[in-house]
């Protein structure tokens, strides 16, 4: 794979995303879309190249959070554009932010243990990271609503889909955990933080039925919840940066 | 009076605050388990009541958050049952006919009922599960329980990642051949458990250098440096198992497992069905 370990591809993709956002904000939507598409294709190739970092193909490095997250946000932007939703460019802001994070992150892979050699790992990480992407996009739209730039309750839809995907991840994660470690839940930081995040968004969903929680207050809650996701996953990513890595 | 209590316990505002309380307590647990990783790892193989009886008096600072967490989850369960019951009663009272739309309107309540089922399943697991850890070596005889015939370890075979790759010295899979008293053979591998007399058998490995402080309460986990990353345990110098790489059989009897997995699967199906229907409805509008 020609993109294996070739970080220039990642940096070019980040540059194209930056150009795309600038063009979108300058109302040059078509040029912005072309730049975004080119960046997305390059980013996808870079991500695929990570599969061969160990010298043999592994799906594990493809689904590593810091690298999968920008791709998931890119897919969300693509889906919005495909639905002819003009606001697809708004999603470019978190996309650019997390691509910059990926560019600065440790590029090597954490060698997999035998209980991580399973499709259940992919079935867990893909919906989980897509859920995070939805929460972040939702928070951006919530912030726009609070700034008076977004009339619709778009952020709520992102939160709902994020919750559904996060729930899917909890189920596939429970199955994987059982197969790999013998329990569906472990008293460890990863599982307890996942449970806490799931409960935060469950609380968010209940707000719609509680008197006094108007759309603005719910938008604030959505932003706060996304910031908690950012704090928890961000600290995990930073912690994992210190793990012994191979390749990259 | 009873109605007042019923209404209070079923109030959605109470759901919200209980959810937030559980969030806070889970985060506190997360922090404690981050700093004392192997201490809390041992908790996964002990029933919660035994853990609390043993650990709460000796290390209250590390375990104080557990009783309020269990309390919050219990009241959340009660709240969910009452709230769901109220909603289902209201829906049945208001229904004009029993059709597909009415069934869909019941889905959120069914999901809540399944959520309770998952919580009950977890409660059964942590209060009634059994975890037995036995070291494995070729030729060893494993006695899982007094009423079960022993198993002997015929062969242990490690498969490494392909030669020439950057991870060639790391174990990719381990296959253990177990033989019963009647000579019947069973293959046990990572991610491929086997059932034996009410137990599920799993594999686990520990490298001695990274001390597993499984019931050693005097050594703080942070001192042995164990983290959730166990990658180095599976690395050998010569593509051959080292004496420090100790293999274990984990025999688990978990009566909550079928409940959890069934309810989880149903939640997935019904939740997807519900949101697809919601999208279709919006599309029609």
């Amino acid at each position: 794979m020609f993109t294996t370990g070739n970080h220039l591809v990642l940096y070019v993709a980040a540059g194209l995303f930056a150009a795309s956002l600038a063009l979108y904000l300058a109302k040059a939507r078509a040029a912005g879309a072309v730049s975004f598409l080119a960046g997305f294709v390059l980013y996808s190739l870079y991500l695929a190249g990570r599969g061969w970092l160990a010298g043999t193909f592994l799906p594990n490095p493809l689904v590593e959070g810091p690298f999968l997250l920008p791709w998931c946000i890119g897919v969300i932007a693509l889906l919005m554009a495909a639905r002819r939703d003009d606001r697809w460019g708004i999603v470019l802001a978190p996309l650019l932010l997390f691509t910059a994070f990926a560019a600065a992150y440790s590029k090597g892979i954490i060698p997999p243990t035998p209980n991580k050699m399973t499709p259940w790992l992919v079935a867990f990480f893909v919906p989980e990271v897509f859920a995070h992407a939805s929460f972040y996009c939702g928070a951006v739209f919530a912030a726009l609503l609070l700034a008076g730039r977004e009339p619709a309750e778009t952020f709520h839809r992102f939160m709902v889909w994020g919750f559904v995907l996060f729930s899917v991840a909890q189920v596939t994660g429970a199955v994987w955990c059982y197969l790999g470690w013998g329990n569906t839940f472990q008293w460890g930081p990863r599982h307890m933080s996942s449970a806490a995040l799931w409960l935060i968004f469950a609380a968010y969903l209940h707000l719609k039925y509680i008197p006094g929680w108007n759309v603005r207050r719910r938008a604030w809650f959505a932003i706060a919840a996304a910031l908690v996701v950012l704090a928890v996953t961000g600290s995990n990513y930073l912690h994992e940066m210190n793990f012994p890595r191979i390749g990259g | 009076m009873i109605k007042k209590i019923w209404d209070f316990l079923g109030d959605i505002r109470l759901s919200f605050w209980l959810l937030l309380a559980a969030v806070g307590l889970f985060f506190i647990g997360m922090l404690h388990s981050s700093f004392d990783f192997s201490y809390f790892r041992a908790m996964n193989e002990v029933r919660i009541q035994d853990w609390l009886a043993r650990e709460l008096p000796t290390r209250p600072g590390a375990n104080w958050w557990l009783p309020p967490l269990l309390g919050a989850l219990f009241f959340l369960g009660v709240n969910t049952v009452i709230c769901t019951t109220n909603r289902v009663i209201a829906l049945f009272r208001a229904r004009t006919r029993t059709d597909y739309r009415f069934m869909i309107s019941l889905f959120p309540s069914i999901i809540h009922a399944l959520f309770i089922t998952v919580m009950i399943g977890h409660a059964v697991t942590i209060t009634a599960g059994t975890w037995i850890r036995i070291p494995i070596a070729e030729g060893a005889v494993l006695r899982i329980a007094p009423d079960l015939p022993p198993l002997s370890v015929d062969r242990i075979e490690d498969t490494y990642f392909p030669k020439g790759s950057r991870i060639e010295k790391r174990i990719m899979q381990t296959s253990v051949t177990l033989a019963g008293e009647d000579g019947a053979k069973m293959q046990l591998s990572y991610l491929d458990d086997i059932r034996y007399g009410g137990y599920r058998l799993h594999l686990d490995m520990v490298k001695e250098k990274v001390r597993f402080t499984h019931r050693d309460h005097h050594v703080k986990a942070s001192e042995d440096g164990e983290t959730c990353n166990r990658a180095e345990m599976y690395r050998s110098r010569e593509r051959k198992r080292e004496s420090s790489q100790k293999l274990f059989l984990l025999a688990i009897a978990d009566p909550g497992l079928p409940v959890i997995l069934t309810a989880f699967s149903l939640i997935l199906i019904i939740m997807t069905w519900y949101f697809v229907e919601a999208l279709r409805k919006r599309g029609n509008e």
Side-chain angles (χ1 to χ4, degrees), chain B residues 18 20 24 26 33 52 59 63 67 77 79 81 89 99 103 122 130 158 174 178 198 221 241 266 282:
Chain B
L18 284 171
L20 285 196
F26 266 124
S33 63
L52 288 174
R59 288 190 66 180
N63 293 286
N79 171 266
V81 167
I89 290 169
D99 60 2
M103 186 183 81
H122 279 303
T130 308
D158 293 319
T174 297
L178 298 169
R241 180 178 293 273
L266 289 172
R282 192 179 298 151

Side-chain angles (χ1 to χ4, degrees), chain A residues 161-172:
Chain A
W161 279 109
F163 181 77
V164 172
L165 289 164
F166 202 65
S167 303
V168 171
Q170 300 315 297
V171 178
T172 52

Side-chain angles (χ1 to χ4, degrees), chain B residues 19 21 28 40 45 50 59-60 77 87 105 134 161 169-170 182 196 199 202-203 224 229 242 244 249 264 267 282:
Chain B
L19 283 165
I28 291 166
F40 281 100
E45 295 173 22
D50 298 338
R59 288 190 66 180
R87 185 173 181 272
S105 71
I134 308 169
F161 282 100
K169 289 179 180 170
R170 291 170 187 271
D182 56 355
Y196 184 69
Y199 288 87
H202 294 258
L203 280 184
D224 68 14
N229 179 31
E242 293 166 8
S244 59
L249 177 96
F264 260 151
I267 285 178
R282 192 179 298 151

Side-chain angles (χ1 to χ4, degrees), chain B residues 6 16 22 41 48 68 78 82-83 91 114 116 133 135 149 166 169 172 177 187 192 216 229 231 233 260 281:
Chain B
W6 178 269
F16 177 72
R41 197 160 84 91
I48 189 93
V78 171
I82 295 173
C83 209
L91 280 173
L114 288 167
I116 292 293
R133 185 176 279 268
R166 287 172 166 167
K169 289 179 180 170
M172 184 170 78
T177 308
Q187 289 283 338
D192 192 12
D216 182 0
N229 179 31
M233 290 187 185
I260 296 168
K281 193 179 164 193

Side-chain angles (χ1 to χ4, degrees), chain B residues 107-181:
Chain B
F107 276 8
S109 301
I110 296 171
I111 291 169
H112 278 79
L114 288 167
F115 169 67
I116 292 293
T117 313
V118 170
M119 283 175 77
I120 291 170
H122 279 303
V124 171
T125 297
I126 62 173
T127 54
T130 308
W131 298 267
I132 302 162
R133 185 176 279 268
I134 308 169
I136 301 182
E138 275 183 10
V141 176
L142 314 175
R143 294 182 196 283
I144 295 168
D147 56 332
L148 279 178
L151 293 169
S152 58
V153 182
D154 267 15
R155 195 160 177 233
I156 300 173
E157 195 176 6
D158 293 319
T159 311
Y160 285 80
F161 282 100
K163 272 190 173 168
S165 71
R166 287 172 166 167
I167 46 176
E168 64 176 8
K169 289 179 180 170
R170 291 170 187 271
I171 296 171
M172 184 170 78
Q173 181 56 283
T174 297
S175 182
V176 176
T177 308
L178 298 169
E181 271 190 333

